[in-house]
Amino acid sequence: MTSREKSAVPPSGLPASAIPLGSNERFLSMLGKMYVIREFEEAAGQEWHAGNIRGSVHQYVGQEAIAVGVCSNLRSDDYISSNHRGHGHSIAKGADPIGMMKELFGREGGTCGGKGGSMHIADFSIGMLGANGVVADGVTIAVGAGHAIKVLKQDRIAVPFFGDGAVNRGPLMESLNWAKIYDLPVLYVCEHNGYAATTRTSDVTAGEGFIARARSFGIEGEEIDGNDIRAVDEVARHLAQRVRGNGPAYIFARTYRHHPHNLRDSGAYRTQDEIDRWKLKDPIKLATSWLLEAGVARAEINAVEGDAKALIARALTAARSAPWPQLSAALENVQDLGAPL
Amino acid sequence: MTSREKSAVPPSGLPASAIPLGSNERFLSMLGKMYVIREFEEAAGQEWHAGNIRGSVHQYVGQEAIAVGVCSNLRSDDYISSNHRGHGHSIAKGADPIGMMKELFGREGGTCGGKGGSMHIADFSIGMLGANGVVADGVTIAVGAGHAIKVLKQDRIAVPFFGDGAVNRGPLMESLNWAKIYDLPVLYVCEHNGYAATTRTSDVTAGEGFIARARSFGIEGEEIDGNDIRAVDEVARHLAQRVRGNGPAYIFARTYRHHPHNLRDSGAYRTQDEIDRWKLKDPIKLATSWLLEAGVARAEINAVEGDAKALIARALTAARSAPWPQLSAALENVQDLGAPL
Amino acid sequence: MIAEMTYAEASLLALREEMQRDLRVWALGEDLGPEGGLAGQYRGLQTEFGGARICDTPISESMIMAAGVGAALAGTRPVVELRFADFAICAADEIVNQTAKIRYMFNGQTRVPLVIRQAIGMRGGTAAQHSQSMEAWWVHVPGLTVLTPATAADNYGMLKAAIRCDDPVIYLEHKALWGIKGAVDTDAPLVQIGKADKVQRGDDVTIVTWSGMRVECIKAADTLRQRGIAVDLIDLRSLWPWDRDMVMDSVSRTGRLVVAQEAVRVGGFGAEIVAEVSEELWAKLRAPIRRLGAPRCPVPFSMPLEDACRISADMIVKAAVDSVE
Amino acid sequence: MIAEMTYAEASLLALREEMQRDLRVWALGEDLGPEGGLAGQYRGLQTEFGGARICDTPISESMIMAAGVGAALAGTRPVVELRFADFAICAADEIVNQTAKIRYMFNGQTRVPLVIRQAIGMRGGTAAQHSQSMEAWWVHVPGLTVLTPATAADNYGMLKAAIRCDDPVIYLEHKALWGIKGAVDTDAPLVQIGKADKVQRGDDVTIVTWSGMRVECIKAADTLRQRGIAVDLIDLRSLWPWDRDMVMDSVSRTGRLVVAQEAVRVGGFGAEIVAEVSEELWAKLRAPIRRLGAPRCPVPFSMPLEDACRISADMIVKAAVDSVE
Ligand SMILES: Cc1ncc(C[n+]2csc(CCOP(=O)(O)OP(=O)(O)O)c2C)c(N)n1
Ligand SMILES: Cc1ncc(C[n+]2csc(CCOP(=O)(O)OP(=O)(O)O)c2C)c(N)n1
Ligand SMILES: [Mg+2]
Ligand SMILES: [Mg+2]
């Protein structure tokens, strides 16, 4: 399937190698964001194993370039939605990792007051409409937000992030038809990491996969190397522009998650070799070596990494010391009438 | 959309004009079936207006060639499933119109004992798995039957009939992926009559419609003139053969319903001109004139028409005089345990 | 203005006025434009407001519902028309897992102001997949408000209240009521969500009902009056929240309760009322509560079978008489 | 053979034996092969029976459910694994409008022999979309049998009974029970669907419960014993049909009833029990029935908030004591 999907890149797509470089500063700041996500995720994993974080945690490690590259090209009033693997998207859109870490710990001051947890982080102040525990439901909701943009005659765009597993859910397919017939400003971002939980998606996905499906609805877009922050940045800028005030498009980003699906999964369905090969293409490593080549000093890179580490250390300290929510919160914000009960 | 969809006919498709003719006898018997459906539907409409049939009745008038052409190429142990417009499919597969008419009247002896009504006719003795009141749900069920065929290593096939409105429901799209990844012996039959209730489907269907979608899942098939019984017969034979023991295929049949969506609909969303043009392509008229040309005597045609009329007259008499079901039937066949209650 | 109009026309007027009043209000669903809705509840609105605000959709129930949710999050107030309540089940995930929970999960950062319209109930041979009354499902789901107007006046006042509500409202219209006429006072204050309608006062027995069953209960109350039994008849009209005060006051006085619902009795919303009343007024009840509802079977098509699954005025009379004797 | 095993292992053994016994039995769902199911309930089965009979599926809940239905109509007996009960809501239409109604609508021409497995309940921070207990929904739907095993022995015996049942069975396993061990007697007669389990006998107060709440009720009964209150503890384990006889017998004797459920109290299945008992045993009740259940809010993530929504042994003790006093 792979080679044919590659050939499906539409004429409007620039090959990644031809993408003109932005400024080093821009990429250095993106690298910084990627480090923040990476550190956040590794810390979350450790704290889960230590028993400080409960529930499910799905780490975004290895896919950071996609969230960062895309969100760097969005306005703060643009909308994004996410799935179960949502920390990276939130951070990239501008959510505060300290509030998020408190949320994972279930503490007061968490982004959602501790009521959501890892799979339900939203930050409406920055247009982040929510992670989602139901595969594909974030996508349909983002398309609905795109519909409101049109009804209200705004010039925002709506960007759902989703995985290759979501591609087989009917509601997502309904959404492709919907976004196209109403010409909604939606930029679909499919993060193809090869797996849906423990299932290889190529085993359960007919035909040429997401790209062929999107195109069958008349939606065009571009396929990119999701581990290359330059490619993501360039294509996202280009497509976000195209979508704004117009109909839908997609980004199909090939990537890989370094860690198991979540922290309970043994990971036995993947070979170490496959993991190792993908780790060589780690988006942070790739960006680092390219920035060094481009003349950025090692010290500058160390500095952004250090800042990220410090930020996450602060987040952990804050989360650990934050109080539990007031018990009354359990019954608040259910609905105005007929609650609490 | 029309012209591009036409060009999507895969190489395996023969143009209708090149289809070799079967025997006159075969087509005369098919014409007879078409007459039975036509008479059944017209009678049902009259009886509905007379207040003898309650609920919704969706007439199949104008589309008869599809059900008859397809089912003439199925074995009696092959499965079909249907939608709300299901009378024609049942009759074509071999259900008894007398039992069906009793069903529409809600009487004892009805195909489903009067408990189903027009939208819920099934006849398991001939592999008819049921009409369906929920758009697209008959399709997913047929694909499930196809799955059982594979699990049981049988050589049957499963044939869901559905409309162009169903094409936008997510479950149907999930089914296309499903049928393909498991290589199920499913022959999709899309009856494109241009409308979903009062909505022109081209207004709410993105891209090239069903054919493009099926192909994006790797499913191939053929587009035909659904009003030409010869075309349907030939292509159905060919594709039923191809599907048997193999993976899925589709028939995309262009057609038109002469009557409104159901008997409550004013029909105002279509022009009289459009209806008149399609009536010129009435599948029964077409078949008749072609059979006359092929040397079949008018008397023979009159005979099959007369037989159909007589059969439906008998069905009406039987339905009118059949008793109501026993009241105890209301609580029977709910489930073995915990019923009736 | 006081005018006589049908239940369907009352909701049409209400939506029209709300769309004129608030530009963020819009409606989406199948066949709203050409057909004007199953009962003409949208007739003429597409001409008046355009296709963007009266939006015809494909047959994509999941996406219809999700579009409403996303659009509510993004600053509009959608009226989501799901037609037959049976098809709303195709969007149950979007209703239960998203619509109802978003405000809570996100700790009140947002509300989800939308109305989910569904036509419930039997209407002459609509059979198993077009006749269901699933109100009990929605009441069980935290985050949802559940309304069941039964008169033209309520379908006017309650639809307006629903559209103005900042939380998601499940709005259940009964198919058999569409053609029923009643006086609508467009100047009356809006119906307050959660307040029941005391249809008539009486001291002998309380009858609690809602939706289409109101009609049968009124017939039953007339018959009972002739037999010397005075009924305190309550049309709840709002199932969540429901008017606990009115029900408890009434049963405290009468000591007797009949609950009449069209839905399947087992696990129906009636069980909640019975459970609450029997828990709270245990000491005051003078007879066991009678709970009426359909047998636990799908709705059959055939007329006599369908009728066998209906709660009739006669059955309500009998339950009330049993209770009083 | 009597062996000690976990609740999850018991169901694995049951399925394995049924698949060996009957070639028409097969299972389908997400991640059954590589992962062996959320709790290892399918571990090793794909190796033993092959990918056709332990079928890994795409994330397509509607189609997973419909495949089960179609395949049941076409001569097989599918075990449909829907994982978290919350996702089963994505297939609600296929369950309610098709699975449950087909036998009836088609007048018994066919049955729909399949099992719909769903994991219910809270388990430490699973939050709003992975913690729901929606048993009340399924009980309200005619055509469905609803089971809630709470011990290893029952998860063995009841899964087998469910697979052999000719009607569709909603089979709800509680996530918090997966690791709990118990003795399983593989030679014992299969659990009869509809028969409750009398966990312990007592004359002072009846406690009715099911699923995960059984564990809390046993704790509560111990505490109550120390306080001199003897509990008649009933684990219903089958919610439809439910063991009316055992419950009515017990409450006739004790005159007092506490119903303890994990689900949202409003509109929960507990209301049905309370309504039935209060209607039937009105004259025999010596105290108002107490009905425990979660507050009407989505399940919050944070530990203390989640705990605030749990019914604990203490709350059950208190309700029983209130009832007796
Ligand atoms: C409707 C639904 N079905 C199943 C699940 C369980 N589940 C959670 S994540 C996941 C895999 C998702 O894969 P993909 O979309 O590729 O995202 P990735 O985990 O690879 O980032 C599954 C099956 C779910 N959350 N929702
Ligand atoms: C899930 C669902 N949504 C809506 C409906 C209402 N409905 C019944 S038939 C129909 C139109 C179907 O159009 P199509 O599939 O093209 O079949 P046709 O009527 O043209 O034969 C609609 C919207 C339904 N029955 N089920
Ligand atoms: Mg993936
Ligand atoms: Mg059509």
Side-chain angles (χ1 to χ4, degrees):
Chain A
M1 175 196 305
T2 308
S3 65
R4 292 171 78 184
E5 253 171 8
K6 285 238 162 71
S7 75
V9 177
S12 61
L14 292 168
S17 58
I19 295 171
L21 305 179
S23 67
N24 285 349
E25 290 65 36
R26 176 175 174 86
F27 289 114
L28 200 58
S29 101
M30 287 187 184
L31 180 65
K33 275 270 185 210
M34 287 164 62
Y35 267 123
V36 172
I37 296 171
R38 175 75 49 104
E39 293 297 323
F40 185 95
E41 294 297 51
E42 297 295 3
Q46 277 156 25
E47 296 297 319
W48 188 89
H49 283 295
N52 296 324
I53 294 176
R54 309 183 321 147
S56 286
V57 167
H58 304 86
Q59 295 160 294
Y60 195 63
V61 174
Q63 306 185 196
E64 296 92 341
I66 302 170
V68 172
V70 169
C71 291
S72 298
N73 291 288
L74 302 181
R75 301 194 323 218
S76 107
D77 68 348
D78 287 334
Y79 298 118
I80 69 165
S81 73
S82 170
N83 56 8
H84 54 287
R85 199 175 302 288
H87 308 157
H89 308 129
S90 284
I91 293 175
K93 190 69 170 50
D96 170 23
I98 298 179
M100 288 175 57
M101 191 62 83
K102 288 182 184 162
E103 188 62 32
L104 267 59
F105 275 69
R107 302 302 170 96
E108 194 162 292
T111 321
C112 298
K115 284 159 82 168
S118 164
M119 275 197 279
H120 308 293
I121 291 182
D123 187 343
F124 279 68
S125 69
I126 50 152
M128 165 48 180
L129 300 179
N132 213 307
V134 183
V135 167
D137 278 12
V139 179
T140 54
I141 288 173
V143 171
H147 211 133
I149 292 170
K150 193 143 193 212
V151 169
L152 298 173
K153 303 196 173 80
Q154 298 169 331
D155 71 341
R156 306 170 180 216
I157 73 172
V159 182
F161 289 90
F162 57 98
D164 41 338
V167 160
N168 292 319
R169 274 208 75 217
L172 187 143
M173 299 192 250
E174 289 184 356
S175 89
L176 291 167
N177 184 60
W178 193 282
K180 183 65 184 176
I181 59 174
Y182 301 115
D183 259 330
L184 305 181
V186 175
L187 178 55
Y188 285 87
V189 181
C190 180
E191 304 185 72
H192 183 98
N193 62 14
Y195 293 88
T198 64
T199 298
R200 201 179 285 270
T201 53
S202 57
D203 291 344
V204 292
T205 307
E208 310 285 315
F210 179 73
I211 293 178
R213 293 179 195 179
R215 302 188 87 195
S216 80
F217 293 95
I219 300 177
E220 298 294 343
E222 305 191 19
E223 178 178 4
I224 55 174
D225 175 352
N227 286 20
D228 179 349
I229 185 78
R230 294 168 300 182
V232 182
D233 180 43
E234 178 61 26
V235 165
R237 179 163 45 230
H238 164 63
L239 288 179
Q241 257 163 28
R242 189 163 103 196
V243 161
R244 200 173 297 282
N246 292 301
Y250 68 80
I251 293 175
F252 182 86
R254 291 192 179 277
T255 187
Y256 197 77
R257 58 170 159 74
H258 291 183
H259 293 317
H261 172 59
N262 62 25
L263 293 155
R264 281 193 196 87
D265 144 26
S266 72
Y269 50 92
R270 308 193 301 185
T271 63
Q272 192 56 46
D273 179 57
E274 178 180 289
I275 299 170
D276 290 343
R277 270 186 294 111
W278 274 96
K279 281 196 177 165
L280 295 178
K281 304 215 292 169
D282 177 343
I284 290 188
K285 274 205 197 121
L286 287 186
T288 303
S289 70
W290 163 78
L291 279 170
L292 288 173
E293 267 174 46
V296 173
R298 167 68 71 184
E300 288 189 87
I301 290 175
N302 289 349
V304 298
E305 180 178 4
D307 287 351
K309 286 200 149 84
L311 173 60
I312 299 308
R314 280 207 308 284
L316 283 175
T317 309
R320 284 194 194 106
S321 59
W324 293 108
Q326 306 252 302
L327 287 191
S328 59
L331 301 183
E332 284 163 11
N333 272 310
V334 177
Q335 59 194 98
D336 289 341
L337 301 166
L341 200 116
Chain B
M1 174 196 307
T2 308
S3 64
R4 292 172 77 183
E5 254 171 7
K6 284 238 163 71
S7 75
V9 177
S12 60
L14 292 168
S17 59
I19 294 171
L21 305 179
S23 67
N24 286 348
E25 289 65 35
R26 177 174 173 87
F27 288 114
L28 199 59
S29 101
M30 288 186 184
L31 180 65
K33 275 270 184 206
M34 286 164 60
Y35 267 123
V36 172
I37 296 172
R38 175 75 48 105
E39 294 297 323
F40 185 94
E41 296 296 51
E42 297 295 3
Q46 277 155 23
E47 297 297 319
W48 189 90
H49 283 295
N52 296 324
I53 294 176
R54 308 181 324 145
S56 287
V57 167
H58 304 85
Q59 294 159 295
Y60 194 63
V61 174
Q63 307 185 195
E64 297 91 340
I66 302 170
V68 171
V70 170
C71 291
S72 298
N73 291 288
L74 301 181
R75 301 195 323 219
S76 106
D77 69 348
D78 287 335
Y79 298 118
I80 69 164
S81 73
S82 170
N83 56 8
H84 54 287
R85 200 176 301 287
H87 308 156
H89 308 129
S90 284
I91 292 174
K93 189 70 169 53
D96 171 23
I98 299 178
M100 287 175 57
M101 191 62 83
K102 287 183 184 163
E103 188 62 32
L104 266 60
F105 275 68
R107 302 303 171 96
E108 194 163 291
T111 322
C112 299
K115 285 160 82 168
S118 164
M119 274 196 279
H120 308 293
I121 291 182
D123 187 343
F124 279 69
S125 68
I126 51 153
M128 165 48 181
L129 300 179
N132 213 305
V134 183
V135 167
D137 278 12
V139 179
T140 54
I141 287 173
V143 171
H147 211 133
I149 292 170
K150 194 143 190 211
V151 168
L152 297 173
K153 303 195 172 79
Q154 298 168 332
D155 72 341
R156 306 170 178 214
I157 74 172
V159 182
F161 289 90
F162 58 97
D164 41 338
V167 159
N168 292 318
R169 274 208 77 216
L172 186 144
M173 299 192 250
E174 289 183 358
S175 89
L176 291 168
N177 185 60
W178 192 282
K180 183 65 185 175
I181 59 174
Y182 301 114
D183 260 330
L184 305 180
V186 175
L187 179 56
Y188 285 88
V189 181
C190 180
E191 304 186 74
H192 184 98
N193 61 14
Y195 293 88
T198 65
T199 298
R200 202 180 284 270
T201 52
S202 57
D203 291 344
V204 293
T205 306
E208 310 284 315
F210 179 74
I211 293 178
R213 293 180 196 179
R215 302 188 88 195
S216 80
F217 292 95
I219 300 177
E220 298 294 343
E222 307 192 18
E223 179 179 2
I224 55 174
D225 175 352
N227 285 19
D228 180 348
I229 185 77
R230 295 167 300 181
V232 183
D233 180 42
E234 178 62 26
V235 165
R237 179 163 45 231
H238 163 65
L239 287 179
Q241 257 164 29
R242 191 164 102 196
V243 161
R244 200 173 297 281
N246 292 301
Y250 68 80
I251 293 176
F252 182 86
R254 291 191 178 279
T255 187
Y256 197 77
R257 57 170 160 74
H258 292 183
H259 293 316
H261 172 59
N262 62 24
L263 294 155
R264 281 193 197 87
D265 145 25
S266 72
Y269 50 90
R270 310 192 299 186
T271 62
Q272 192 55 46
D273 180 56
E274 179 181 287
I275 298 171
D276 290 343
R277 271 187 293 111
W278 274 97
K279 282 197 176 165
L280 295 178
K281 304 214 294 171
D282 177 342
I284 290 188
K285 274 205 198 120
L286 287 186
T288 302
S289 69
W290 162 78
L291 279 170
L292 288 173
E293 267 173 46
V296 173
R298 166 69 71 183
E300 287 189 86
I301 291 175
N302 290 349
V304 297
E305 180 179 3
D307 287 351
K309 287 198 149 83
L311 174 59
I312 299 307
R314 280 206 308 284
L316 282 175
T317 309
R320 284 193 194 108
S321 60
W324 292 109
Q326 306 251 301
L327 287 191
S328 59
L331 300 183
E332 284 164 10
N333 272 310
V334 177
Q335 59 194 97
D336 288 341
L337 301 166
L341 200 113
Chain C
M1 186 198 78
I2 301 187
E4 185 86 356
M5 63 186 82
T6 65
Y7 182 80
E9 288 161 355
S11 72
L12 173 62
L13 181 61
L15 179 56
R16 186 162 172 251
E17 289 179 0
E18 290 305 300
M19 288 185 70
Q20 287 168 340
R21 199 182 62 81
D22 185 345
L23 291 173
R24 297 167 304 171
V25 176
W26 63 297
L28 66 165
E30 296 154 19
D31 301 301
L32 302 189
E35 185 199 37
L38 277 176
Q41 323 96 294
Y42 297 87
R43 193 163 292 147
L45 296 185
Q46 195 172 67
T47 312
E48 181 172 351
F49 297 103
R53 287 183 70 201
I54 295 290
C55 177
D56 285 318
T57 70
I59 310 176
S60 303
E61 277 72 15
S62 287
M63 190 58 229
I64 293 171
M65 190 61 237
V69 179
L73 300 183
T76 68
R77 302 179 80 87
V79 173
V80 181
E81 171 63 54
L82 290 177
R83 297 172 74 89
F84 289 90
D86 315 72
F87 312 154
I89 301 175
C90 300
D93 164 54
E94 288 76 12
I95 297 174
V96 173
N97 288 327
Q98 310 300 338
T99 312
K101 295 181 173 43
I102 281 178
R103 174 175 168 185
Y104 185 86
M105 290 191 299
F106 302 159
N107 202 29
Q109 288 181 63
T110 187
R111 308 277 175 109
V112 189
L114 54 79
V115 181
I116 305 173
R117 290 178 85 170
Q118 311 172 21
I120 60 171
M122 297 187 237
R123 188 186 56 173
T126 42
Q129 293 175 341
H130 289 71
S131 302
Q132 292 169 87
S133 295
M134 301 297 280
E135 62 269 21
W137 271 32
W138 310 121
V139 171
H140 188 45
V141 178
L144 299 178
T145 297
V146 184
L147 306 183
T148 53
T151 65
D154 281 351
N155 211 13
Y156 175 81
M158 294 177 74
L159 184 55
K160 292 193 141 208
I163 291 170
R164 295 186 198 181
C165 179
D166 287 330
D167 291 312
V169 176
I170 302 278
Y171 196 83
L172 305 172
E173 285 155 282
H174 197 292
K175 295 192 278 289
L177 298 174
W178 274 329
I180 293 193
K181 287 200 165 186
V184 173
D185 179 356
T186 57
D187 301 318
L190 290 196
V191 177
Q192 216 182 309
I193 292 176
K195 293 283 170 236
D197 181 23
K198 178 68 66 80
V199 184
Q200 68 166 57
R201 273 158 226 286
D203 288 328
D204 297 329
V205 58
T206 302
I207 299 183
V208 169
T209 195
W210 58 92
S211 193
M213 211 33 69
R214 175 188 169 118
V215 178
E216 293 301 308
C217 287
I218 291 175
K219 282 189 223 159
D222 285 347
T223 308
L224 288 162
R225 182 182 311 117
Q226 288 156 24
R227 297 218 208 162
I229 297 173
V231 173
D232 212 52
L233 176 54
I234 297 174
D235 169 7
L236 284 181
R237 68 182 174 182
S238 172
L239 303 191
W240 196 266
W242 59 282
D243 197 337
R244 213 184 151 80
D245 290 347
M246 190 189 283
V247 172
M248 295 299 172
D249 282 356
S250 172
V251 182
S252 300
R253 196 156 36 80
T254 62
R256 304 171 202 282
L257 174 62
V258 174
V259 176
Q261 65 198 320
E262 175 177 330
V264 168
R265 182 177 186 272
V266 171
F269 177 65
E272 178 68 21
I273 309 267
V274 175
E276 285 292 284
V277 172
S278 74
E279 287 166 59
E280 184 159 328
L281 299 182
W282 177 75
K284 292 189 173 164
L285 282 175
R286 286 187 254 165
I289 299 173
R290 259 81 186 180
R291 177 172 56 128
L292 299 171
R296 194 172 178 280
C297 65
V299 176
F301 168 73
S302 177
M303 185 163 64
L305 303 187
E306 190 192 56
D307 285 345
C309 296
R310 278 178 202 280
I311 302 307
S312 64
D314 284 352
M315 294 162 83
I316 299 164
V317 167
K318 182 173 182 314
V321 169
D322 285 354
S323 170
V324 172
E325 274 165 7
Chain D
M1 184 198 81
I2 301 187
E4 186 87 356
M5 63 186 83
T6 65
Y7 181 81
E9 288 161 354
S11 72
L12 173 61
L13 181 61
L15 179 56
R16 185 163 174 253
E17 289 179 0
E18 291 304 300
M19 288 185 70
Q20 287 167 339
R21 198 181 63 80
D22 185 345
L23 290 173
R24 297 167 306 170
V25 177
W26 63 296
L28 67 165
E30 297 154 19
D31 301 299
L32 302 190
E35 185 198 36
L38 277 176
Q41 324 95 294
Y42 297 88
R43 194 163 292 148
L45 296 185
Q46 194 173 67
T47 311
E48 181 171 351
F49 297 103
R53 287 183 70 199
I54 295 290
C55 178
D56 285 319
T57 70
I59 309 176
S60 303
E61 277 73 13
S62 287
M63 191 58 230
I64 293 171
M65 190 61 236
V69 179
L73 299 184
T76 68
R77 302 179 79 88
V79 174
V80 181
E81 171 63 54
L82 289 177
R83 297 171 74 89
F84 289 91
D86 314 72
F87 312 154
I89 301 175
C90 300
D93 163 54
E94 288 77 12
I95 296 174
V96 173
N97 288 326
Q98 310 301 339
T99 312
K101 294 181 174 42
I102 282 179
R103 174 175 168 186
Y104 186 84
M105 290 190 298
F106 302 158
N107 201 30
Q109 288 182 62
T110 186
R111 308 276 176 109
V112 188
L114 54 78
V115 181
I116 304 172
R117 292 178 84 169
Q118 310 172 21
I120 60 171
M122 299 187 236
R123 187 186 57 174
T126 41
Q129 293 174 339
H130 289 71
S131 303
Q132 292 168 88
S133 295
M134 301 297 281
E135 62 269 19
W137 272 31
W138 310 123
V139 171
H140 188 46
V141 178
L144 298 179
T145 297
V146 184
L147 307 184
T148 53
T151 65
D154 281 352
N155 211 12
Y156 175 82
M158 293 177 75
L159 184 55
K160 292 194 141 208
I163 291 171
R164 296 186 198 181
C165 179
D166 287 330
D167 291 312
V169 176
I170 302 277
Y171 196 83
L172 305 171
E173 286 155 283
H174 196 291
K175 295 192 277 290
L177 298 175
W178 274 328
I180 293 194
K181 288 200 166 186
V184 173
D185 179 356
T186 57
D187 301 318
L190 290 196
V191 177
Q192 215 182 311
I193 291 175
K195 293 283 170 236
D197 182 24
K198 178 67 67 79
V199 184
Q200 68 165 58
R201 273 158 225 285
D203 288 328
D204 297 329
V205 58
T206 302
I207 300 183
V208 169
T209 194
W210 58 91
S211 193
M213 210 34 66
R214 175 187 169 119
V215 178
E216 293 301 309
C217 287
I218 290 175
K219 283 190 222 158
D222 286 346
T223 307
L224 288 162
R225 182 183 309 117
Q226 287 156 26
R227 298 219 207 159
I229 298 173
V231 173
D232 212 52
L233 176 54
I234 297 174
D235 169 7
L236 285 181
R237 70 182 173 180
S238 173
L239 304 191
W240 196 265
W242 60 281
D243 197 337
R244 211 183 154 80
D245 291 346
M246 191 189 284
V247 173
M248 295 300 173
D249 282 357
S250 172
V251 182
S252 299
R253 196 156 35 79
T254 62
R256 304 171 201 282
L257 173 62
V258 173
V259 176
Q261 66 198 321
E262 175 177 330
V264 168
R265 182 176 185 274
V266 171
F269 177 64
E272 178 67 22
I273 310 268
V274 174
E276 285 292 285
V277 173
S278 73
E279 288 166 57
E280 183 159 330
L281 299 182
W282 177 74
K284 291 189 174 165
L285 283 176
R286 286 188 254 166
I289 299 172
R290 260 82 186 179
R291 177 171 57 127
L292 299 171
R296 195 172 176 280
C297 65
V299 176
F301 168 72
S302 177
M303 184 163 64
L305 302 187
E306 190 191 56
D307 286 345
C309 296
R310 277 179 202 281
I311 302 306
S312 63
D314 284 352
M315 295 161 82
I316 300 164
V317 168
K318 182 172 181 314
V321 168
D322 284 354
S323 170
V324 172
E325 273 166 6

